Amino acid sequence: MTDQQPSLSRPTRPDPGVATILLAGGKGTRLHDLTAAESKPAVPFAGRNRIVDFAMANVVRSGLDRLLVATQFAPATLNHHLPARWGGHFPQGGMLLRDGRDRYLGTADTVRQNWRQVGEWGSDQVLVLAADHIYDMDYAGLIAAHRASGAAVTVAVDVVPRTQACGFGVMQTGDGGRILSFLEKPADPPAIPGEPDRAMVSMGIYVFDAAWLKNALFGSNIEALDFGHEIIPAAVAQGLAMAYRLPAGPTGLPYWRDVGTLDALRQAHLDFVTARPARLPRISPASEWHLGRGSVMMPGAAVPPSARLTCAIVAPGTRVPHGLVVGEDPDEDARWFRREGRTVLITQAMLNRREALRIPAILPARQGVALHPRDVA
């Protein structure tokens, strides 16, 4: 893995016709303790970075300088991190943070409640992004394809194993990429014709014609709350939705990961050990966060050389004790830590509980000599 950092210099001709809305309020419940008091986009990734930084890097490289970040759950970290790390890439007033705690009722409702800003920018297209995925993408290609198609909405798509597609919007397309059907998180995802083991899924990235989207958000007596359940299916029913396949990234292959589970988050970290599949500035050297044996360590954590951790995530600020063994005995792991799939999450609270409950057995004294508890631990 190279330490050379890619350039994030903004293109000399920013695209003023696009208003970008970054949905960064996700709670990320499937990451459990990592998001108990932190939003999913703010979860640390590969050292000093956070998950949200991938979308932000893509925005900057794509020449987009009108960005509204909609936060909701536990926004404090993002409110500090985004201006500090990314504010210098935007003109004054070009990046706005809007706190929607207890107000936003869904993805579409978030855009509706911030529509006044879209109107003030006078944009012809609205780019809606998810802030909680690890991926590499130049949005300029997506926007150009959308403009050329004349569609009401263009959905960025990738292909995943059909067994994994039930957590996404799944679609089938016809000639030219027109979307013929769209199902949000179906229990039995339809396969790509001729490819029974694969499905085409939404990346949660959309480009809308602004006039069409305004009518969809405000022109109905029943207010739509969600893009996947209501807005996108409406465009598909009108024959006005197109799909845009994710192009290849730095490795020559497309890279997009929904890191919504502990297994997926750990595996995405490991993808950066041998190669950098998605461009990100200032990525920390692997030696700072990769522990070997398929394990990763988050900022502020400490792991002594005597510990043996396999397929583990060490949460921020966690101090692993000497000699700890994790990832070799599933029953022992599950007793003290959170184990899902192959991944074991270790937090300081879990270690504290383990220390408090592992009371040494009281062995009978032999020959009148009492044993010290450390001798029987």
Side-chain angles (χ1 to χ4, degrees):
M1 185 166 141
T2 178
D3 291 332
Q4 183 178 0
Q5 303 301 335
S7 172
L8 279 185
S9 58
R10 182 176 291 283
T12 56
R13 300 185 64 180
D15 191 333
V18 180
T20 303
I21 299 180
L22 181 62
L23 305 178
K27 189 172 183 179
T29 55
R30 292 179 298 164
L31 293 180
H32 304 287
D33 306 72
L34 293 178
T35 51
E38 192 70 276
S39 67
K40 182 180 173 186
V43 168
F45 187 91
R48 297 183 294 269
N49 303 287
R50 297 184 183 275
I51 292 174
V52 69
D53 289 328
F54 286 89
M56 292 298 300
N58 293 334
V59 167
V60 170
R61 279 194 302 267
S62 301
L64 303 171
D65 62 356
R66 300 179 179 186
L67 172 67
L68 187 147
V69 182
T71 62
Q72 189 166 15
F73 175 72
T77 297
L78 294 181
N79 288 341
H80 171 76
H81 174 76
L82 292 176
R85 178 160 183 180
W86 296 102
H89 292 278
F90 294 86
Q92 185 174 4
M95 182 174 71
L96 305 172
L97 276 69
R98 296 287 171 79
D99 184 349
R101 278 175 289 184
D102 302 321
R103 292 194 298 114
Y104 300 150
L105 302 178
T107 54
D109 184 62
T110 301
V111 175
R112 178 188 293 109
Q113 293 197 41
N114 288 289
W115 191 261
R116 179 177 178 179
Q117 186 60 58
V118 175
E120 291 179 1
W121 280 333
S123 303
D124 298 319
Q125 287 87 35
V126 179
L127 173 65
V128 178
L129 306 174
D132 55 1
H133 296 159
I134 306 295
Y135 68 107
D136 183 86
M137 187 175 188
D138 182 350
Y139 303 127
L142 167 65
I143 294 165
H146 173 77
R147 288 170 172 164
S149 72
V153 59
T154 300
V155 182
V157 304
D158 198 11
V159 172
V160 302
R162 195 176 76 86
T163 55
Q164 301 175 12
C166 59
F168 305 101
V170 182
M171 68 203 77
Q172 294 187 318
T173 60
D175 295 339
R178 190 170 302 280
I179 301 175
L180 304 178
S181 68
F182 186 96
L183 299 172
E184 182 71 1
K185 299 181 179 179
D188 184 20
I192 298 173
E195 301 183 55
D197 297 328
R198 304 209 301 166
M200 182 178 294
V201 302
S202 168
M203 297 170 59
I205 298 172
Y206 319 110
V207 186
F208 291 96
D209 173 78
W212 185 92
L213 180 58
K214 181 180 181 180
N215 182 67
L217 293 174
F218 296 98
S220 173
N221 291 328
I222 301 176
E223 291 187 346
L225 300 179
D226 186 78
F227 284 120
H229 283 105
E230 295 154 304
I231 300 294
I232 303 303
V236 171
Q238 296 173 28
L240 297 175
M242 300 291 290
Y244 177 84
R245 187 76 172 266
L246 176 66
T251 64
L253 297 172
Y255 187 85
W256 171 71
R257 297 290 184 269
D258 176 8
V259 288
T261 66
L262 295 175
D263 259 345
L265 179 63
R266 183 180 62 84
Q267 186 56 57
H269 273 85
L270 298 180
D271 290 343
F272 283 76
V273 176
T274 57
R276 185 179 297 162
R279 287 166 287 192
L280 186 67
R282 298 190 300 173
I283 193 166
S284 302
S287 59
E288 293 185 10
W289 48 268
H290 178 229
L291 299 171
R293 303 176 69 94
S295 296
V296 296
M297 178 175 63
M298 292 187 166
V303 179
S306 61
R308 192 167 71 240
L309 310 182
T310 303
C311 297
I313 297 175
V314 184
T318 300
R319 319 295 288 185
V320 171
H322 290 280
L324 181 69
V325 177
V326 168
E328 299 178 14
D329 183 338
D331 293 333
E332 182 69 7
D333 292 340
R335 183 181 179 189
W336 307 114
F337 309 111
R338 182 178 295 278
R339 182 179 179 119
E340 290 193 348
R342 297 184 60 196
T343 301
V344 182
L345 175 63
I346 305 170
T347 70
Q348 189 62 53
M350 296 172 187
L351 288 173
N352 292 344
R353 173 181 174 273
R354 175 178 180 271
E355 180 65 21
L357 295 180
R358 288 180 75 234
I359 302 174
I362 304 300
L363 298 182
R366 294 183 180 178
Q367 298 180 351
V369 178
L371 300 179
H372 191 280
R374 69 176 175 228
D375 297 324
V376 296

